[in-house]
Amino acid sequence: MISSTAVTASLLPESPRLTAQLSKTNLTHDLVLASGALAVHLLPDDERGLELFRTLAMRTGHEAPKLDDVSAVAGQTGSPILQDAVAYAEARVAATHDGEGSTIIVADVVAGARDRDRDGPVLTIESVRKRLPPEWAEEWARRLEEELAAARRQR
């Protein structure tokens, strides 16, 4: 899935943590809570990154597997590590906070890497908004509306 928020959450370099906000409507939410682990990826700001965005953001894993056509390997926690990512951090869930329509995850980083061969810019939501083809933008808007409606029902 594409998370709207994932940031560092520790002041201590010897004890890195991250936080991620996961929508309760996404299968990834349930998988992270069940497994106690997740991986956060930075996607390349190129056509492949945009394709990965479409794959991960515009449909739900409840309907069909999303990673079947994505090159990934299992990380230390068993979380999928996307081979086309610029960088990743893999972490184990340390705490959760209920945010009604989402869950805020605090997780201890156990592994991570940056692909030096892909040392270019990373995909941001601003870049996505500028570059999405119109039909993808419509698809994303529909998916977002479904997610927002589900979150409103949980309030």
Side-chain angles (χ1 to χ4, degrees):
M1 69 169 270
I2 297 295
S3 176
S4 62
T5 306
V7 296
T8 61
S10 176
L11 295 174
L12 304 173
E14 68 273 14
S15 205
R17 281 189 154 176
L18 61 84
T19 61
Q21 180 178 338
L22 305 179
S23 170
K24 289 182 179 180
T25 62
N26 290 317
L27 179 61
T28 300
H29 172 275
D30 300 339
L31 295 173
V32 168
L33 292 183
S35 69
L38 72 153
V40 174
H41 299 83
L42 297 177
L43 302 178
D45 190 6
D46 60 16
E47 292 310 309
R48 181 61 184 142
L50 204 55
E51 289 171 14
L52 284 166
F53 175 87
R54 183 178 191 210
T55 297
L56 299 172
M58 296 195 202
R59 60 184 171 152
T60 174
H62 290 292
E63 296 169 357
K66 294 200 275 186
L67 296 180
D68 283 355
D69 296 325
V70 175
S71 180
V73 296
Q76 288 183 23
T77 66
S79 298
I81 306 303
L82 306 183
Q83 297 299 284
D84 289 328
V86 172
Y88 77 94
E90 189 176 5
R92 294 194 188 282
V93 175
T96 62
H97 177 74
D98 184 1
E100 292 181 345
S102 64
T103 300
I104 289 64
I105 306 290
V106 178
D108 295 317
V109 175
V110 299
R114 181 170 182 102
D115 186 338
R116 297 295 174 202
D117 294 332
R118 289 190 179 101
D119 208 20
V122 297
L123 194 65
T124 65
I125 198 62
E126 291 81 14
S127 176
V128 167
R129 286 184 178 126
K130 289 178 189 173
R131 296 178 43 220
L132 273 185
E135 63 276 6
W136 290 16
E138 290 172 19
E139 186 179 356
W140 185 32
R142 281 191 304 274
R143 175 74 179 112
L144 181 58
E145 279 304 315
E146 291 169 6
E147 194 168 324
L148 291 174
R152 287 182 180 112
R153 286 191 298 272
Q154 293 182 12
R155 287 198 98 189

PDB file of all heavy atoms in Angstrom, residues 34-57:
ATOM      1  N   ALA A  34      -0.949  -8.437  12.161  1.00  0.00           N
ATOM      2  CA  ALA A  34      -0.850  -9.878  12.388  1.00  0.00           C
ATOM      3  C   ALA A  34       0.600 -10.362  12.457  1.00  0.00           C
ATOM      4  O   ALA A  34       0.940 -11.209  13.279  1.00  0.00           O
ATOM      5  CB  ALA A  34      -1.601 -10.631  11.285  1.00  0.00           C
ATOM      6  N   SER A  35       1.454  -9.810  11.610  1.00  0.00           N
ATOM      7  CA  SER A  35       2.850 -10.271  11.554  1.00  0.00           C
ATOM      8  C   SER A  35       3.758  -9.525  12.530  1.00  0.00           C
ATOM      9  O   SER A  35       4.818 -10.023  12.907  1.00  0.00           O
ATOM     10  CB  SER A  35       3.414 -10.095  10.144  1.00  0.00           C
ATOM     11  OG  SER A  35       3.568  -8.712   9.841  1.00  0.00           O
ATOM     12  N   GLY A  36       3.358  -8.319  12.907  1.00  0.00           N
ATOM     13  CA  GLY A  36       4.188  -7.502  13.777  1.00  0.00           C
ATOM     14  C   GLY A  36       5.388  -6.898  13.063  1.00  0.00           C
ATOM     15  O   GLY A  36       6.362  -6.504  13.707  1.00  0.00           O
ATOM     16  N   ALA A  37       5.324  -6.814  11.738  1.00  0.00           N
ATOM     17  CA  ALA A  37       6.462  -6.306  10.970  1.00  0.00           C
ATOM     18  C   ALA A  37       5.981  -5.575   9.720  1.00  0.00           C
ATOM     19  O   ALA A  37       4.864  -5.800   9.251  1.00  0.00           O
ATOM     20  CB  ALA A  37       7.381  -7.459  10.578  1.00  0.00           C
ATOM     21  N   LEU A  38       6.861  -4.723   9.206  1.00  0.00           N
ATOM     22  CA  LEU A  38       6.572  -4.014   7.966  1.00  0.00           C
ATOM     23  C   LEU A  38       7.866  -3.549   7.328  1.00  0.00           C
ATOM     24  O   LEU A  38       8.919  -3.544   7.968  1.00  0.00           O
ATOM     25  CB  LEU A  38       5.666  -2.805   8.215  1.00  0.00           C
ATOM     26  CG  LEU A  38       6.282  -1.591   8.920  1.00  0.00           C
ATOM     27  CD1 LEU A  38       5.531  -0.336   8.501  1.00  0.00           C
ATOM     28  CD2 LEU A  38       6.244  -1.744  10.415  1.00  0.00           C
ATOM     29  N   ALA A  39       7.764  -3.178   6.069  1.00  0.00           N
ATOM     30  CA  ALA A  39       8.874  -2.543   5.362  1.00  0.00           C
ATOM     31  C   ALA A  39       8.339  -1.281   4.706  1.00  0.00           C
ATOM     32  O   ALA A  39       7.238  -1.279   4.154  1.00  0.00           O
ATOM     33  CB  ALA A  39       9.463  -3.482   4.311  1.00  0.00           C
ATOM     34  N   VAL A  40       9.103  -0.211   4.816  1.00  0.00           N
ATOM     35  CA  VAL A  40       8.770   1.070   4.207  1.00  0.00           C
ATOM     36  C   VAL A  40       9.776   1.302   3.089  1.00  0.00           C
ATOM     37  O   VAL A  40      10.980   1.110   3.286  1.00  0.00           O
ATOM     38  CB  VAL A  40       8.843   2.209   5.249  1.00  0.00           C
ATOM     39  CG1 VAL A  40       8.647   3.560   4.601  1.00  0.00           C
ATOM     40  CG2 VAL A  40       7.825   1.970   6.357  1.00  0.00           C
ATOM     41  N   HIS A  41       9.288   1.683   1.921  1.00  0.00           N
ATOM     42  CA  HIS A  41      10.139   1.858   0.746  1.00  0.00           C
ATOM     43  C   HIS A  41      10.080   3.279   0.205  1.00  0.00           C
ATOM     44  O   HIS A  41       9.024   3.900   0.252  1.00  0.00           O
ATOM     45  CB  HIS A  41       9.689   0.916  -0.386  1.00  0.00           C
ATOM     46  CG  HIS A  41       9.765  -0.522  -0.013  1.00  0.00           C
ATOM     47  ND1 HIS A  41       8.778  -1.148   0.685  1.00  0.00           N
ATOM     48  CD2 HIS A  41      10.721  -1.445  -0.254  1.00  0.00           C
ATOM     49  CE1 HIS A  41       9.117  -2.417   0.882  1.00  0.00           C
ATOM     50  NE2 HIS A  41      10.293  -2.619   0.323  1.00  0.00           N
ATOM     51  N   LEU A  42      11.186   3.741  -0.318  1.00  0.00           N
ATOM     52  CA  LEU A  42      11.224   4.968  -1.101  1.00  0.00           C
ATOM     53  C   LEU A  42      11.309   4.537  -2.559  1.00  0.00           C
ATOM     54  O   LEU A  42      12.222   3.800  -2.941  1.00  0.00           O
ATOM     55  CB  LEU A  42      12.433   5.824  -0.723  1.00  0.00           C
ATOM     56  CG  LEU A  42      12.453   6.319   0.723  1.00  0.00           C
ATOM     57  CD1 LEU A  42      13.740   7.097   0.982  1.00  0.00           C
ATOM     58  CD2 LEU A  42      11.241   7.170   1.030  1.00  0.00           C
ATOM     59  N   LEU A  43      10.350   4.965  -3.360  1.00  0.00           N
ATOM     60  CA  LEU A  43      10.283   4.572  -4.760  1.00  0.00           C
ATOM     61  C   LEU A  43      11.042   5.564  -5.621  1.00  0.00           C
ATOM     62  O   LEU A  43      11.116   6.757  -5.294  1.00  0.00           O
ATOM     63  CB  LEU A  43       8.829   4.483  -5.209  1.00  0.00           C
ATOM     64  CG  LEU A  43       7.936   3.519  -4.416  1.00  0.00           C
ATOM     65  CD1 LEU A  43       6.505   3.574  -4.930  1.00  0.00           C
ATOM     66  CD2 LEU A  43       8.486   2.111  -4.447  1.00  0.00           C
ATOM     67  N   PRO A  44      11.568   5.115  -6.761  1.00  0.00           N
ATOM     68  CA  PRO A  44      12.289   6.040  -7.635  1.00  0.00           C
ATOM     69  C   PRO A  44      11.330   7.015  -8.309  1.00  0.00           C
ATOM     70  O   PRO A  44      10.185   6.672  -8.625  1.00  0.00           O
ATOM     71  CB  PRO A  44      12.939   5.114  -8.666  1.00  0.00           C
ATOM     72  CG  PRO A  44      12.082   3.889  -8.682  1.00  0.00           C
ATOM     73  CD  PRO A  44      11.546   3.739  -7.292  1.00  0.00           C
ATOM     74  N   ASP A  45      11.798   8.238  -8.522  1.00  0.00           N
ATOM     75  CA  ASP A  45      10.988   9.251  -9.197  1.00  0.00           C
ATOM     76  C   ASP A  45      11.194   9.117 -10.700  1.00  0.00           C
ATOM     77  O   ASP A  45      11.824   9.950 -11.348  1.00  0.00           O
ATOM     78  CB  ASP A  45      11.370  10.654  -8.724  1.00  0.00           C
ATOM     79  CG  ASP A  45      10.387  11.710  -9.211  1.00  0.00           C
ATOM     80  OD1 ASP A  45       9.363  11.340  -9.821  1.00  0.00           O
ATOM     81  OD2 ASP A  45      10.647  12.897  -8.978  1.00  0.00           O
ATOM     82  N   ASP A  46      10.675   8.001 -11.226  1.00  0.00           N
ATOM     83  CA  ASP A  46      10.758   7.721 -12.655  1.00  0.00           C
ATOM     84  C   ASP A  46       9.521   6.931 -13.050  1.00  0.00           C
ATOM     85  O   ASP A  46       8.595   6.773 -12.246  1.00  0.00           O
ATOM     86  CB  ASP A  46      12.063   6.980 -12.992  1.00  0.00           C
ATOM     87  CG  ASP A  46      12.210   5.638 -12.273  1.00  0.00           C
ATOM     88  OD1 ASP A  46      11.214   5.092 -11.731  1.00  0.00           O
ATOM     89  OD2 ASP A  46      13.340   5.109 -12.255  1.00  0.00           O
ATOM     90  N   GLU A  47       9.493   6.444 -14.271  1.00  0.00           N
ATOM     91  CA  GLU A  47       8.313   5.715 -14.755  1.00  0.00           C
ATOM     92  C   GLU A  47       8.058   4.441 -13.951  1.00  0.00           C
ATOM     93  O   GLU A  47       6.909   4.100 -13.669  1.00  0.00           O
ATOM     94  CB  GLU A  47       8.439   5.398 -16.246  1.00  0.00           C
ATOM     95  CG  GLU A  47       8.383   6.647 -17.122  1.00  0.00           C
ATOM     96  CD  GLU A  47       7.200   7.552 -16.813  1.00  0.00           C
ATOM     97  OE1 GLU A  47       6.058   7.071 -16.773  1.00  0.00           O
ATOM     98  OE2 GLU A  47       7.426   8.758 -16.600  1.00  0.00           O
ATOM     99  N   ARG A  48       9.121   3.739 -13.548  1.00  0.00           N
ATOM    100  CA  ARG A  48       8.930   2.522 -12.745  1.00  0.00           C
ATOM    101  C   ARG A  48       8.324   2.863 -11.388  1.00  0.00           C
ATOM    102  O   ARG A  48       7.449   2.169 -10.895  1.00  0.00           O
ATOM    103  CB  ARG A  48      10.257   1.770 -12.574  1.00  0.00           C
ATOM    104  CG  ARG A  48      10.136   0.488 -11.769  1.00  0.00           C
ATOM    105  CD  ARG A  48       9.202  -0.500 -12.448  1.00  0.00           C
ATOM    106  NE  ARG A  48       9.025  -1.685 -11.639  1.00  0.00           N
ATOM    107  CZ  ARG A  48       7.876  -2.338 -11.514  1.00  0.00           C
ATOM    108  NH1 ARG A  48       6.814  -1.953 -12.199  1.00  0.00           N
ATOM    109  NH2 ARG A  48       7.780  -3.393 -10.767  1.00  0.00           N
ATOM    110  N   GLY A  49       8.789   3.942 -10.772  1.00  0.00           N
ATOM    111  CA  GLY A  49       8.226   4.361  -9.500  1.00  0.00           C
ATOM    112  C   GLY A  49       6.755   4.708  -9.624  1.00  0.00           C
ATOM    113  O   GLY A  49       5.943   4.355  -8.767  1.00  0.00           O
ATOM    114  N   LEU A  50       6.391   5.365 -10.710  1.00  0.00           N
ATOM    115  CA  LEU A  50       4.997   5.719 -10.952  1.00  0.00           C
ATOM    116  C   LEU A  50       4.150   4.462 -11.171  1.00  0.00           C
ATOM    117  O   LEU A  50       3.029   4.359 -10.666  1.00  0.00           O
ATOM    118  CB  LEU A  50       4.893   6.662 -12.146  1.00  0.00           C
ATOM    119  CG  LEU A  50       3.678   7.570 -12.221  1.00  0.00           C
ATOM    120  CD1 LEU A  50       3.529   8.415 -10.966  1.00  0.00           C
ATOM    121  CD2 LEU A  50       3.758   8.441 -13.452  1.00  0.00           C
ATOM    122  N   GLU A  51       4.698   3.481 -11.889  1.00  0.00           N
ATOM    123  CA  GLU A  51       3.991   2.208 -12.079  1.00  0.00           C
ATOM    124  C   GLU A  51       3.786   1.498 -10.740  1.00  0.00           C
ATOM    125  O   GLU A  51       2.718   0.931 -10.478  1.00  0.00           O
ATOM    126  CB  GLU A  51       4.774   1.306 -13.031  1.00  0.00           C
ATOM    127  CG  GLU A  51       4.760   1.753 -14.466  1.00  0.00           C
ATOM    128  CD  GLU A  51       5.735   0.949 -15.330  1.00  0.00           C
ATOM    129  OE1 GLU A  51       6.217  -0.108 -14.879  1.00  0.00           O
ATOM    130  OE2 GLU A  51       6.010   1.395 -16.456  1.00  0.00           O
ATOM    131  N   LEU A  52       4.823   1.507  -9.892  1.00  0.00           N
ATOM    132  CA  LEU A  52       4.691   0.890  -8.572  1.00  0.00           C
ATOM    133  C   LEU A  52       3.650   1.621  -7.732  1.00  0.00           C
ATOM    134  O   LEU A  52       2.869   0.999  -7.018  1.00  0.00           O
ATOM    135  CB  LEU A  52       6.043   0.870  -7.851  1.00  0.00           C
ATOM    136  CG  LEU A  52       7.017  -0.179  -8.344  1.00  0.00           C
ATOM    137  CD1 LEU A  52       8.423   0.090  -7.813  1.00  0.00           C
ATOM    138  CD2 LEU A  52       6.550  -1.579  -7.965  1.00  0.00           C
ATOM    139  N   PHE A  53       3.639   2.948  -7.833  1.00  0.00           N
ATOM    140  CA  PHE A  53       2.614   3.717  -7.138  1.00  0.00           C
ATOM    141  C   PHE A  53       1.225   3.241  -7.569  1.00  0.00           C
ATOM    142  O   PHE A  53       0.351   2.997  -6.729  1.00  0.00           O
ATOM    143  CB  PHE A  53       2.773   5.224  -7.404  1.00  0.00           C
ATOM    144  CG  PHE A  53       1.669   6.033  -6.800  1.00  0.00           C
ATOM    145  CD1 PHE A  53       1.768   6.465  -5.490  1.00  0.00           C
ATOM    146  CD2 PHE A  53       0.523   6.333  -7.520  1.00  0.00           C
ATOM    147  CE1 PHE A  53       0.731   7.197  -4.903  1.00  0.00           C
ATOM    148  CE2 PHE A  53      -0.514   7.060  -6.944  1.00  0.00           C
ATOM    149  CZ  PHE A  53      -0.403   7.487  -5.638  1.00  0.00           C
ATOM    150  N   ARG A  54       1.030   3.117  -8.867  1.00  0.00           N
ATOM    151  CA  ARG A  54      -0.286   2.686  -9.363  1.00  0.00           C
ATOM    152  C   ARG A  54      -0.635   1.300  -8.825  1.00  0.00           C
ATOM    153  O   ARG A  54      -1.752   1.061  -8.365  1.00  0.00           O
ATOM    154  CB  ARG A  54      -0.308   2.679 -10.880  1.00  0.00           C
ATOM    155  CG  ARG A  54      -1.683   2.312 -11.420  1.00  0.00           C
ATOM    156  CD  ARG A  54      -1.747   2.344 -12.911  1.00  0.00           C
ATOM    157  NE  ARG A  54      -3.124   2.234 -13.350  1.00  0.00           N
ATOM    158  CZ  ARG A  54      -3.484   1.678 -14.478  1.00  0.00           C
ATOM    159  NH1 ARG A  54      -2.577   1.217 -15.307  1.00  0.00           N
ATOM    160  NH2 ARG A  54      -4.755   1.612 -14.808  1.00  0.00           N
ATOM    161  N   THR A  55       0.306   0.380  -8.876  1.00  0.00           N
ATOM    162  CA  THR A  55       0.074  -0.984  -8.397  1.00  0.00           C
ATOM    163  C   THR A  55      -0.291  -0.995  -6.913  1.00  0.00           C
ATOM    164  O   THR A  55      -1.211  -1.703  -6.506  1.00  0.00           O
ATOM    165  CB  THR A  55       1.328  -1.850  -8.630  1.00  0.00           C
ATOM    166  OG1 THR A  55       1.566  -1.926 -10.036  1.00  0.00           O
ATOM    167  CG2 THR A  55       1.170  -3.235  -8.061  1.00  0.00           C
ATOM    168  N   LEU A  56       0.412  -0.208  -6.125  1.00  0.00           N
ATOM    169  CA  LEU A  56       0.240  -0.253  -4.673  1.00  0.00           C
ATOM    170  C   LEU A  56      -0.881   0.635  -4.149  1.00  0.00           C
ATOM    171  O   LEU A  56      -1.449   0.352  -3.096  1.00  0.00           O
ATOM    172  CB  LEU A  56       1.559   0.123  -3.992  1.00  0.00           C
ATOM    173  CG  LEU A  56       2.732  -0.807  -4.303  1.00  0.00           C
ATOM    174  CD1 LEU A  56       4.025  -0.236  -3.755  1.00  0.00           C
ATOM    175  CD2 LEU A  56       2.474  -2.205  -3.788  1.00  0.00           C
ATOM    176  N   ALA A  57      -1.215   1.701  -4.863  1.00  0.00           N
ATOM    177  CA  ALA A  57      -2.157   2.683  -4.331  1.00  0.00           C
ATOM    178  C   ALA A  57      -3.560   2.599  -4.902  1.00  0.00           C
ATOM    179  O   ALA A  57      -4.496   3.066  -4.273  1.00  0.00           O
ATOM    180  CB  ALA A  57      -1.624   4.099  -4.575  1.00  0.00           C
TER     181      ALA A  57
END
